[in-house]
Amino acid sequence: MQLHATDEQVASVVEHIRASGLQEHVSRGSELVIIGAIGDENKLDVGRFEILPGVERVSRVTKQYKIVSRDSHPAGSVVKVRGIGIGGPQIQVIAGPCSVETQEQMDIAADAVAAAGCRLMRGGAFKPRTSPYAFQGLGVTGLEYFQAAARRHKLPIVTELMDIRMLDTFMEYDVDVIQIGARNMQNFDLLKEVGRVNKPVILKRGLSGTISEWLMAAEYIAAGGNHNIIFCERGIRTFETAYRNVLDVTAIPVLKRETHLPVIVDPSHAGGKAWMVPALAQAAIAAGADGLLVEMHPNPCDAWCDADQALSPEELKKLMGTLGAIATAIGRSI
Ligand code: PEP
Ligand code: MN
């Protein structure tokens, strides 16, 4: 309460707390009165209390994200994708092209992903492009090419879902991990729908998403019953224009503290240039990321999408060779 709040003002706040079905705890100091609300905080609307006469400040003491919070599950969670653990001691690298282009491209890419020692493969069949005239992805045909290529190496597939209407098709094609792209982090209807299915979800951070908005987005998925969520930091938009986005390395330990769910990093969309990818990937693992999502194309110069940031098969292999020592240094493996 404000410094000179009256007894009537205190009583009015107490009345409002009771009206919401909670109990009050009034603590009177020599100068200030602090009123606690005991019960389900979600029933309280902070804004309604802030406007009451005599109120100085209203703050929540419990988190609004309950299921994804580490408080609800102090040990880390491991999300299993066809037996492969994400969030456990082993670091997982998901690699593949930005977009599915041809069967041949996907076959060569799958061979390269497996040869580099990665256990999961990425590839976009539905692409969120800034320009409506840019290649939008092959759609369902892309899912076909992707599955055909990945199956040969038993690689689980990770691909982006942009539209709720395609969810059944994703289930039909047995997509192993559904990626929710940065632009859809707060597409709440999409989040609710993927919350209803029993498939792991990679939730990318929005271009300007705060940590708390990101956690709440994950809570939307979790609230529907699907707790198999993996956070993916992919760089945020800042004032800097020298690279595509700023990889928020700080987000890794912060998220690992706030949530029990795995956290992976996409160094490709962060830097936006292939030559930056190894440094960012290494930093991410050193900072505690549970895995990486890396773009690799059989022939980067010919990529239909994000050519600048794609590693070649040789570069991916080389990067993989550098991660083992970092993983070992922090008590993990690759
Ligand atoms: C992608 O992974 O290809 C992609 C479009 O990523 P983001 O949503 O992070 O931009
Ligand atoms: Mn891309």
Side-chain angles (χ1 to χ4, degrees):
M1 300 296 291
Q2 288 165 2
L3 200 52
H4 301 294
T6 63
D7 286 348
E8 288 72 31
Q9 289 170 336
V10 170
S12 161
V13 171
V14 166
E15 218 171 275
H16 277 81
I17 291 173
R18 288 182 185 169
S20 304
L22 284 87
Q23 279 191 318
E24 79 283 0
H25 179 272
V26 181
S27 152
R28 285 179 193 275
S30 56
E31 291 187 339
L32 281 178
V33 176
I34 297 170
I35 309 172
I38 302 159
D40 182 1
E41 255 189 56
N42 285 319
K43 289 186 187 153
L44 294 187
D45 179 352
V46 168
R48 282 190 52 206
F49 280 86
E50 268 165 353
I51 55 168
L52 293 178
V55 171
E56 167 76 28
R57 190 164 6 111
V58 184
S59 48
R60 289 188 183 275
V61 288
T62 60
K63 290 169 181 152
Q64 280 188 290
Y65 41 92
K66 305 256 183 236
I67 307 170
V68 307
S69 165
R70 199 173 265 279
D71 297 345
S72 75
H73 195 283
S77 287
V78 179
V79 173
K80 289 262 180 165
V81 183
R82 287 213 262 129
I84 301 163
I86 303 178
Q90 191 178 56
I91 284 156
Q92 304 301 347
V93 180
I94 306 163
C98 179
S99 59
V100 178
E101 298 165 5
T102 64
Q103 188 64 67
E104 194 197 6
Q105 170 241 14
M106 290 307 281
D107 287 343
I108 302 170
D111 294 349
V113 169
C118 306
R119 295 179 199 89
L120 300 100
M121 186 170 176
R122 64 150 288 148
F126 298 87
K127 297 303 302 175
R129 304 302 300 278
T130 301
S131 164
Y133 307 115
F135 172 57
Q136 304 285 307
L138 294 181
V140 176
T141 310
L143 295 181
E144 270 166 36
Y145 293 167
F146 195 177
Q147 273 295 16
R151 262 199 202 118
R152 291 161 41 249
H153 294 282
K154 296 194 168 61
L155 291 165
I157 68 166
V158 177
T159 196
E160 177 166 354
L161 176 72
M162 298 200 334
D163 187 325
I164 299 169
R165 291 169 294 185
M166 292 313 295
L167 185 54
D168 288 344
T169 309
F170 271 48
M171 300 303 280
E172 243 168 71
Y173 279 85
D174 204 19
V175 166
D176 298 287
V177 181
I178 299 171
Q179 177 175 320
I180 298 295
R183 288 152 196 84
N184 276 316
M185 186 196 86
Q186 287 188 310
N187 182 337
F188 299 119
D189 287 333
L190 189 57
L191 300 178
K192 282 180 192 164
E193 284 304 310
V194 297
R196 278 194 250 279
V197 297
N198 189 24
K199 286 274 182 197
V201 175
I202 287 181
L203 178 62
K204 285 197 151 195
R205 183 178 187 177
L207 277 67
S208 306
T210 65
I211 300 276
S212 104
E213 286 165 343
W214 195 8
L215 286 159
M216 289 306 288
E219 188 76 13
Y220 260 93
I221 301 171
N226 186 357
H227 297 185
N228 296 309
I229 307 160
I230 300 151
F231 287 83
C232 179
E233 160 62 34
R234 44 80 73 204
I236 49 171
R237 184 166 285 180
T238 72
F239 54 84
E240 185 54 73
T241 54
Y243 24 84
R244 191 169 180 180
N245 291 292
V246 174
L247 177 65
D248 183 6
V249 177
T250 316
I252 305 166
V254 171
L255 269 189
K256 293 297 293 179
R257 190 184 163 100
E258 285 300 312
T259 174
H260 55 91
L261 294 165
V263 179
I264 65 168
V265 165
D266 173 349
S268 310
H269 290 86
K273 298 278 179 222
W275 63 265
M276 293 180 196
V277 170
L280 301 180
Q282 290 155 355
I285 300 305
D290 296 301
L292 299 170
L293 183 69
V294 182
E295 288 191 345
M296 182 276 308
H297 191 282
N299 193 0
C301 299
D302 293 338
W304 296 3
C305 183
D306 285 349
D308 289 10
Q309 66 194 35
L311 296 183
S312 66
E314 298 70 38
E315 287 166 337
L316 177 65
K317 205 165 191 176
K318 194 169 164 217
L319 168 63
M320 289 297 282
T322 69
L323 300 179
I326 302 171
T328 307
I330 55 167
R332 302 184 83 170
S333 64
I334 182 102

